[in-house]
PDB file of all heavy atoms in Angstrom:
ATOM      1  N   VAL N 103      12.098  -1.911  -2.661  1.00  0.00           N
ATOM      2  CA  VAL N 103      13.162  -1.934  -1.662  1.00  0.00           C
ATOM      3  C   VAL N 103      13.624  -0.525  -1.264  1.00  0.00           C
ATOM      4  O   VAL N 103      13.720  -0.219  -0.080  1.00  0.00           O
ATOM      5  CB  VAL N 103      14.348  -2.815  -2.135  1.00  0.00           C
ATOM      6  CG1 VAL N 103      15.508  -2.737  -1.159  1.00  0.00           C
ATOM      7  CG2 VAL N 103      13.881  -4.255  -2.313  1.00  0.00           C
ATOM      8  N   PRO N 104      13.897   0.405  -2.203  1.00  0.00           N
ATOM      9  CA  PRO N 104      14.332   1.740  -1.783  1.00  0.00           C
ATOM     10  C   PRO N 104      13.255   2.503  -0.998  1.00  0.00           C
ATOM     11  O   PRO N 104      13.573   3.403  -0.216  1.00  0.00           O
ATOM     12  CB  PRO N 104      14.642   2.476  -3.091  1.00  0.00           C
ATOM     13  CG  PRO N 104      14.633   1.466  -4.164  1.00  0.00           C
ATOM     14  CD  PRO N 104      13.923   0.252  -3.659  1.00  0.00           C
ATOM     15  N   CYS N 105      12.002   2.122  -1.179  1.00  0.00           N
ATOM     16  CA  CYS N 105      10.913   2.789  -0.451  1.00  0.00           C
ATOM     17  C   CYS N 105      11.060   2.603   1.053  1.00  0.00           C
ATOM     18  O   CYS N 105      10.677   3.481   1.828  1.00  0.00           O
ATOM     19  CB  CYS N 105       9.555   2.240  -0.888  1.00  0.00           C
ATOM     20  SG  CYS N 105       9.128   2.561  -2.617  1.00  0.00           S
ATOM     21  N   ARG N 106      11.613   1.493   1.469  1.00  0.00           N
ATOM     22  CA  ARG N 106      11.696   1.178   2.901  1.00  0.00           C
ATOM     23  C   ARG N 106      12.548   2.202   3.643  1.00  0.00           C
ATOM     24  O   ARG N 106      12.137   2.743   4.661  1.00  0.00           O
ATOM     25  CB  ARG N 106      12.258  -0.231   3.105  1.00  0.00           C
ATOM     26  CG  ARG N 106      11.312  -1.272   2.554  1.00  0.00           C
ATOM     27  CD  ARG N 106      11.937  -2.651   2.477  1.00  0.00           C
ATOM     28  NE  ARG N 106      11.010  -3.539   1.803  1.00  0.00           N
ATOM     29  CZ  ARG N 106      10.594  -4.689   2.293  1.00  0.00           C
ATOM     30  NH1 ARG N 106      11.029  -5.114   3.452  1.00  0.00           N
ATOM     31  NH2 ARG N 106       9.740  -5.418   1.625  1.00  0.00           N
ATOM     32  N   GLU N 107      13.742   2.484   3.127  1.00  0.00           N
ATOM     33  CA  GLU N 107      14.602   3.473   3.783  1.00  0.00           C
ATOM     34  C   GLU N 107      13.959   4.854   3.705  1.00  0.00           C
ATOM     35  O   GLU N 107      13.966   5.614   4.668  1.00  0.00           O
ATOM     36  CB  GLU N 107      15.987   3.502   3.129  1.00  0.00           C
ATOM     37  CG  GLU N 107      16.906   4.523   3.781  1.00  0.00           C
ATOM     38  CD  GLU N 107      18.274   4.609   3.123  1.00  0.00           C
ATOM     39  OE1 GLU N 107      18.571   3.826   2.206  1.00  0.00           O
ATOM     40  OE2 GLU N 107      19.040   5.482   3.544  1.00  0.00           O
ATOM     41  N   GLU N 108      13.388   5.156   2.545  1.00  0.00           N
ATOM     42  CA  GLU N 108      12.806   6.478   2.360  1.00  0.00           C
ATOM     43  C   GLU N 108      11.621   6.705   3.303  1.00  0.00           C
ATOM     44  O   GLU N 108      11.469   7.798   3.862  1.00  0.00           O
ATOM     45  CB  GLU N 108      12.365   6.664   0.902  1.00  0.00           C
ATOM     46  CG  GLU N 108      11.842   8.053   0.629  1.00  0.00           C
ATOM     47  CD  GLU N 108      11.653   8.321  -0.836  1.00  0.00           C
ATOM     48  OE1 GLU N 108      10.693   7.763  -1.416  1.00  0.00           O
ATOM     49  OE2 GLU N 108      12.451   9.088  -1.393  1.00  0.00           O
ATOM     50  N   LEU N 109      10.798   5.700   3.519  1.00  0.00           N
ATOM     51  CA  LEU N 109       9.668   5.845   4.445  1.00  0.00           C
ATOM     52  C   LEU N 109      10.147   6.181   5.852  1.00  0.00           C
ATOM     53  O   LEU N 109       9.554   7.018   6.536  1.00  0.00           O
ATOM     54  CB  LEU N 109       8.816   4.571   4.452  1.00  0.00           C
ATOM     55  CG  LEU N 109       7.933   4.357   3.235  1.00  0.00           C
ATOM     56  CD1 LEU N 109       7.426   2.922   3.176  1.00  0.00           C
ATOM     57  CD2 LEU N 109       6.768   5.338   3.226  1.00  0.00           C
ATOM     58  N   ARG N 110      11.225   5.544   6.286  1.00  0.00           N
ATOM     59  CA  ARG N 110      11.784   5.843   7.619  1.00  0.00           C
ATOM     60  C   ARG N 110      12.245   7.301   7.695  1.00  0.00           C
ATOM     61  O   ARG N 110      11.996   7.995   8.678  1.00  0.00           O
ATOM     62  CB  ARG N 110      12.964   4.922   7.919  1.00  0.00           C
ATOM     63  CG  ARG N 110      12.586   3.514   8.283  1.00  0.00           C
ATOM     64  CD  ARG N 110      13.827   2.767   8.779  1.00  0.00           C
ATOM     65  NE  ARG N 110      13.547   1.386   9.053  1.00  0.00           N
ATOM     66  CZ  ARG N 110      14.011   0.359   8.345  1.00  0.00           C
ATOM     67  NH1 ARG N 110      14.777   0.566   7.300  1.00  0.00           N
ATOM     68  NH2 ARG N 110      13.708  -0.871   8.675  1.00  0.00           N
ATOM     69  N   VAL N 111      12.926   7.756   6.642  1.00  0.00           N
ATOM     70  CA  VAL N 111      13.423   9.134   6.603  1.00  0.00           C
ATOM     71  C   VAL N 111      12.254  10.116   6.626  1.00  0.00           C
ATOM     72  O   VAL N 111      12.259  11.106   7.372  1.00  0.00           O
ATOM     73  CB  VAL N 111      14.308   9.359   5.352  1.00  0.00           C
ATOM     74  CG1 VAL N 111      14.615  10.841   5.145  1.00  0.00           C
ATOM     75  CG2 VAL N 111      15.598   8.555   5.457  1.00  0.00           C
ATOM     76  N   LEU N 112      11.228   9.852   5.829  1.00  0.00           N
ATOM     77  CA  LEU N 112      10.072  10.750   5.769  1.00  0.00           C
ATOM     78  C   LEU N 112       9.327  10.783   7.099  1.00  0.00           C
ATOM     79  O   LEU N 112       8.839  11.844   7.519  1.00  0.00           O
ATOM     80  CB  LEU N 112       9.136  10.336   4.635  1.00  0.00           C
ATOM     81  CG  LEU N 112       9.704  10.542   3.227  1.00  0.00           C
ATOM     82  CD1 LEU N 112       8.768   9.933   2.188  1.00  0.00           C
ATOM     83  CD2 LEU N 112       9.952  12.011   2.942  1.00  0.00           C
ATOM     84  N   ASP N 113       9.237   9.649   7.763  1.00  0.00           N
ATOM     85  CA  ASP N 113       8.563   9.611   9.062  1.00  0.00           C
ATOM     86  C   ASP N 113       9.344  10.424  10.086  1.00  0.00           C
ATOM     87  O   ASP N 113       8.767  11.170  10.875  1.00  0.00           O
ATOM     88  CB  ASP N 113       8.403   8.161   9.530  1.00  0.00           C
ATOM     89  CG  ASP N 113       7.473   8.031  10.720  1.00  0.00           C
ATOM     90  OD1 ASP N 113       6.415   8.701  10.743  1.00  0.00           O
ATOM     91  OD2 ASP N 113       7.795   7.266  11.640  1.00  0.00           O
ATOM     92  N   GLU N 114      10.673  10.295  10.059  1.00  0.00           N
ATOM     93  CA  GLU N 114      11.509  11.079  10.975  1.00  0.00           C
ATOM     94  C   GLU N 114      11.347  12.574  10.683  1.00  0.00           C
ATOM     95  O   GLU N 114      11.204  13.388  11.596  1.00  0.00           O
ATOM     96  CB  GLU N 114      12.973  10.658  10.837  1.00  0.00           C
ATOM     97  CG  GLU N 114      13.900  11.366  11.809  1.00  0.00           C
ATOM     98  CD  GLU N 114      15.358  10.970  11.638  1.00  0.00           C
ATOM     99  OE1 GLU N 114      15.651   9.977  10.930  1.00  0.00           O
ATOM    100  OE2 GLU N 114      16.209  11.680  12.210  1.00  0.00           O
ATOM    101  N   TYR N 115      11.359  12.940   9.388  1.00  0.00           N
ATOM    102  CA  TYR N 115      11.190  14.344   9.012  1.00  0.00           C
ATOM    103  C   TYR N 115       9.839  14.876   9.504  1.00  0.00           C
ATOM    104  O   TYR N 115       9.751  15.971  10.060  1.00  0.00           O
ATOM    105  CB  TYR N 115      11.296  14.511   7.489  1.00  0.00           C
ATOM    106  CG  TYR N 115      10.730  15.822   7.021  1.00  0.00           C
ATOM    107  CD1 TYR N 115      11.459  17.007   7.162  1.00  0.00           C
ATOM    108  CD2 TYR N 115       9.444  15.905   6.501  1.00  0.00           C
ATOM    109  CE1 TYR N 115      10.921  18.231   6.785  1.00  0.00           C
ATOM    110  CE2 TYR N 115       8.904  17.117   6.117  1.00  0.00           C
ATOM    111  CZ  TYR N 115       9.636  18.274   6.265  1.00  0.00           C
ATOM    112  OH  TYR N 115       9.093  19.484   5.899  1.00  0.00           O
ATOM    113  N   ALA N 116       8.784  14.102   9.284  1.00  0.00           N
ATOM    114  CA  ALA N 116       7.420  14.546   9.608  1.00  0.00           C
ATOM    115  C   ALA N 116       7.238  14.832  11.091  1.00  0.00           C
ATOM    116  O   ALA N 116       6.336  15.578  11.477  1.00  0.00           O
ATOM    117  CB  ALA N 116       6.406  13.502   9.148  1.00  0.00           C
ATOM    118  N   GLN N 117       8.082  14.266  11.930  1.00  0.00           N
ATOM    119  CA  GLN N 117       7.965  14.482  13.375  1.00  0.00           C
ATOM    120  C   GLN N 117       8.793  15.681  13.865  1.00  0.00           C
ATOM    121  O   GLN N 117       8.747  16.013  15.039  1.00  0.00           O
ATOM    122  CB  GLN N 117       8.396  13.210  14.106  1.00  0.00           C
ATOM    123  CG  GLN N 117       7.462  12.043  13.814  1.00  0.00           C
ATOM    124  CD  GLN N 117       7.923  10.773  14.478  1.00  0.00           C
ATOM    125  OE1 GLN N 117       7.929  10.689  15.703  1.00  0.00           O
ATOM    126  NE2 GLN N 117       8.319   9.790  13.690  1.00  0.00           N
ATOM    127  N   GLN N 118       9.523  16.326  12.936  1.00  0.00           N
ATOM    128  CA  GLN N 118      10.342  17.476  13.312  1.00  0.00           C
ATOM    129  C   GLN N 118       9.479  18.733  13.410  1.00  0.00           C
ATOM    130  O   GLN N 118       8.530  18.902  12.631  1.00  0.00           O
ATOM    131  CB  GLN N 118      11.428  17.727  12.248  1.00  0.00           C
ATOM    132  CG  GLN N 118      12.298  16.539  11.942  1.00  0.00           C
ATOM    133  CD  GLN N 118      13.290  16.254  13.043  1.00  0.00           C
ATOM    134  OE1 GLN N 118      13.855  17.152  13.629  1.00  0.00           O
ATOM    135  NE2 GLN N 118      13.509  14.977  13.316  1.00  0.00           N
ATOM    136  N   PRO N 119       9.792  19.653  14.318  1.00  0.00           N
ATOM    137  CA  PRO N 119       9.067  20.924  14.390  1.00  0.00           C
ATOM    138  C   PRO N 119       9.213  21.689  13.070  1.00  0.00           C
ATOM    139  O   PRO N 119      10.297  21.717  12.488  1.00  0.00           O
ATOM    140  CB  PRO N 119       9.755  21.685  15.527  1.00  0.00           C
ATOM    141  CG  PRO N 119      10.510  20.653  16.296  1.00  0.00           C
ATOM    142  CD  PRO N 119      10.831  19.553  15.341  1.00  0.00           C
TER     143      PRO N 119
END
Side-chain angles (χ1 to χ4, degrees):
V103 175
C105 296
R106 295 168 186 233
E107 180 182 355
E108 184 169 73
L109 285 165
R110 284 189 184 111
V111 169
L112 292 173
D113 192 42
E114 183 182 348
Y115 163 78
Q117 295 177 66
Q118 305 286 321

